[in-house]
Amino acid sequence: MTGLAAAWELQQQNVPYVLFEASGLLGGKVETTLADEGFLIEKAADAFILGKPYAAQLAREVGLEAEAIHPREDTKKLYFLRGGRLLDFPGHLKMFVPLDDESFRASGVLSPAGTERFLNEVNVPPRPPTDEDESLASFVIRRFGEEALNFIVPIAAGIYVANPYELSMQAAFPQFLKMEQDYGSLIAGSRATPRASGPIFMSFREGMGALPAAIAAKLTGEVRLDTPVLRVHPDGVTLAGGEKVTGSAMILAVPAWYAAPMLSQGFPETAQLVGELRANSSVAVTLAYRREDIEFDMNMHGLLVDASEGIPLKAMTVHSAKLHGRAPEGHVLVRCFFVGLEPMAAYREAVKEVGRLLGAKEAPLDHWYGDWRGKNPAYQVGHLEHLARIRQSLPPNVKIGGASFTGVGIPDCVNAGRTMAREVLILRAAEA
């Protein structure tokens, strides 16, 4: 998505480009499959957030506005698995921050003592202003108490599949650090700022794969699929087959684990720094069932799992209820997320947990994998400083960005691609 966005921006500015894609499909992790049975399967993201406008803006530019859909309001119910019980997820939250003390107390997602410590965050003084980074765990425990970590981590760290003791607040959640400084408290700040009106997330009728497909259909520059880049040089790239392609600027929109080898000859210092970036692992298993074979009321968006529950399952999303058009009538589509398991082990756990928690009486009709072992960027404490060193080690005409570096969400990737393209254009204008 980062590379597609960069190419689109260059095209908008009438700048010639060549886009190299190692695989046969554009879009990276954003991939949608329509199974023969009529199930719409998302390999990774099923929607993107609208609070960051970059992806929605790009969708409008490529003509997808009429295809936009949003999570269903009539099935907007979540559960929280704690102590082996499915509890109603607290209402009146802004992400994980309660806007109403009493509804949070009534939820039971924390012990009475943990609940009161959580709500007392409003009285915890802010950390003195500092440039020093801290982990998500440090921030949560400092502001909300140790027990709160089990509730907040599934919400806040889920998209990063992250160890909360390593995840950088500056890189992942700078808005919370700012709110702490501006209002002295996340609870106070959340209650003082109005909630955005309208939907929070957006997807497309034909799935998330519609976005890269629509961009690709409108690209008029040279696009070369199944063309891995072997090396990046100050004046171009060498392809895996040995062909050298020259260019005035290079934009690397690839994960760190691919970027480091590409940079090893031309930019050894950068390659070492990029190679130090770590990644986490996850596996998503999507299961299809007949509606009659599941006892639980499946008119819900899904469930989150308390971080102390001690099971590999981290969350479930009921795609058939969350978004229209994801399963044929009378069927259910459930996606289960795991950390630390191989795909087949994850499948067995998924079947077991859907049976245990939702009362599935039969085996699933079919299943699909999203195998992201070693492919979830890990923004460790100090990530932004490390990123600055990476960029400083490169000449101005070589840019690097994307999910490994500047945000894992689709809007972040779109913004990264377009920003790098604009930086190249500024350089081009200065040299003209």
Side-chain angles (χ1 to χ4, degrees), residues 289-295 358-363 365:
Y289 292 90
R290 295 183 187 87
R291 177 64 191 89
E292 63 194 37
D293 290 335
I294 295 185
E295 296 176 351
L358 306 180
K361 297 176 287 186
E362 301 290 341
L365 300 173

Side-chain angles (χ1 to χ4, degrees), residues 6 15 29 42 48 57 83 92 102 106 108 139 163 191 205 250 270 289 298 307 321 360 373 380 423:
V15 175
K29 289 183 178 180
E42 300 285 17
F48 57 83
Q57 173 62 34
H92 307 291
E102 291 312 310
F139 179 84
N163 180 338
R191 295 178 182 182
R205 297 182 197 282
M250 277 60 65
T270 311
Y289 292 90
M298 297 302 286
R373 287 173 293 169
Q380 295 184 288
E423 290 170 350

Side-chain angles (χ1 to χ4, degrees), residues 378-401:
Y379 293 174
Q380 295 184 288
V381 172
H383 177 81
L384 295 187
E385 291 181 4
H386 195 90
L387 177 59
R389 290 196 294 272
I390 290 171
R391 288 175 165 168
Q392 290 164 5
S393 70
L394 287 169
N397 70 321
V398 180
K399 306 297 179 183
I400 190 167

Side-chain angles (χ1 to χ4, degrees), residues 38-40 46 72 74-75 286-291 294 298-302 317-335:
F39 295 99
L40 192 150
D46 62 10
R72 293 167 57 185
D74 60 317
T75 59
T286 303
L287 305 174
Y289 292 90
R290 295 183 187 87
R291 177 64 191 89
I294 295 185
M298 297 302 286
N299 288 312
M300 63 170 177
H301 284 191
T317 300
V318 183
H319 279 181
S320 50
K322 180 180 179 182
L323 292 156
H324 284 293
R326 271 42 187 172
E329 188 69 27
H331 292 76
V332 172
L333 197 64
V334 182
R335 184 157 62 159

Side-chain angles (χ1 to χ4, degrees), residues 86 98 100 108 129 191 284 327:
L86 285 176
D100 178 326
R191 295 178 182 182

